[in-house]
Amino acid sequence: MLKDIGHNLAFSGKANIKRDRLTRFLIEQGEKSQQHRIILFLDEAHRLHELHYGWLMDIYNELDCVGIHLTVILVGQNELLYQRSAFIRAKKAQIIGRFMVHEYEFTGIRNIEDLKPCLSGYDHDSEYPIGSEWSYARYFFPEAFNKGYRLEHCAEELMKIFNDLRRKAGLTKPVEIPMQYLTLTVEYALRKFGANGQNLDWLTTACWEEAILKSGYVEAEIHQEII
């Protein structure tokens, strides 16, 4: 955790010294905040054990003693829900109350309504190069962009291609495209077929199909369906 927050002394000292160092750092950061609040995101949280939650509780309590509220957001796989259920059965209210009060499921792209805002980000909410005020779509396809072409307009076609490739692969589960594979698909398409690559006028159906296949999405879905 010291390493992840960029602390200069992440590796020196024993475990208890490192924990005190982490607590002092969080106190310093919390005191700088007008709300006296620290928000801590823990990824891969399904790998945590009860011992680790004990450490988090110690940190939580020490911050609370000096008037700083710690909010922990756990991000993980479905195993995290199983852990929560186990803690409830074991009546570990101190863990549930501090770190697992609410739950929220992140889903992949399921329909065009999910896909459009993601593609729109490449049209409007991105910038490359930094300081240019040009979005990714404008940078890689400047002439098409000036003519009004936008990636978000490709949402219906792109969703259809994802579904077509799933059918060809014999996939039967409801479609849910993880963001990892969507971003890999779009980035491949921009780099391969845009201004720095083949410099095409715009992205065709064949371009999108190649980009999806190169992302590894279909292979990953086949593997998941076998499991």
Side-chain angles (χ1 to χ4, degrees):
M1 290 178 69
L2 285 168
K3 178 178 179 292
D4 287 341
I5 62 176
H7 200 286
N8 292 328
L9 299 175
F11 301 106
S12 63
K14 296 181 179 180
N16 62 324
I17 295 175
K18 292 178 182 178
R19 196 202 70 174
D20 291 342
R21 188 177 296 142
L22 174 64
T23 302
R24 288 197 303 271
F25 176 86
L26 294 176
I27 290 173
E28 290 173 3
Q29 298 303 310
E31 288 176 342
K32 293 178 183 178
S33 166
Q34 292 183 351
Q35 296 182 344
H36 279 218
R37 179 186 295 272
I38 292 287
I39 300 178
L40 184 64
F41 289 86
L42 293 180
D43 199 6
E44 302 292 337
H46 55 277
R47 299 171 61 184
L48 297 178
H49 299 292
E50 187 172 346
L51 174 65
H52 302 136
Y53 287 104
W55 295 346
L56 284 174
M57 279 196 293
D58 290 341
I59 295 172
Y60 182 102
N61 293 335
E62 290 184 39
L63 293 177
D64 187 59
C65 285
V66 294
I68 296 173
H69 183 72
L70 175 65
T71 298
V72 178
I73 298 178
L74 305 173
V75 183
Q77 301 298 322
N78 285 335
E79 291 91 330
L80 192 56
L81 291 177
Y82 307 151
Q83 278 187 340
R84 183 176 186 268
S85 298
F87 287 145
I88 291 174
R89 288 195 300 270
K91 299 182 179 180
K92 301 288 184 180
Q94 69 276 21
I95 296 177
I96 299 296
R98 287 174 173 84
F99 310 121
M100 295 180 167
V101 175
H102 305 290
E103 63 181 71
Y104 181 84
E105 180 184 4
F106 286 95
T107 63
I109 305 300
R110 294 175 170 173
N111 49 51
I112 296 173
E113 287 68 31
D114 291 339
L115 182 56
K116 275 187 177 180
C118 299
L119 296 178
S120 177
Y122 292 95
D123 293 324
H124 308 292
D125 302 323
S126 55
E127 185 180 52
Y128 186 81
I130 298 300
S132 67
E133 298 185 355
W134 279 35
S135 68
Y136 287 140
R138 185 181 182 187
Y139 174 83
F140 285 99
F141 291 95
E143 293 185 12
F145 190 90
N146 289 337
K147 293 177 182 178
Y149 287 75
R150 297 294 185 269
L151 289 179
E152 66 179 310
H153 299 160
C154 300
E156 186 173 348
E157 178 186 18
L158 184 56
M159 199 72 204
K160 181 180 183 301
I161 298 170
F162 268 108
N163 282 311
D164 288 345
L165 290 175
R166 288 177 59 85
R167 281 193 292 271
K168 289 179 183 178
L171 297 168
T172 58
K173 290 183 178 178
V175 61
E176 184 172 325
I177 308 162
M179 284 300 301
Q180 173 187 0
Y181 294 106
L182 176 62
T183 56
L184 286 172
T185 295
V186 176
E187 289 169 12
Y188 180 93
L190 294 178
R191 292 171 176 170
K192 176 71 179 291
F193 306 112
N196 292 350
Q198 295 183 11
N199 197 25
L200 301 183
D201 292 334
W202 188 239
L203 294 167
T204 65
T205 299
C207 294
W208 282 123
E209 184 171 326
E210 179 180 332
I212 294 170
L213 292 173
K214 290 293 185 180
S215 75
Y217 167 74
V218 175
E219 290 84 350
E221 288 295 288
I222 292 173
H223 177 71
Q224 287 294 324
E225 194 146 309
I226 291 173
I227 294 176

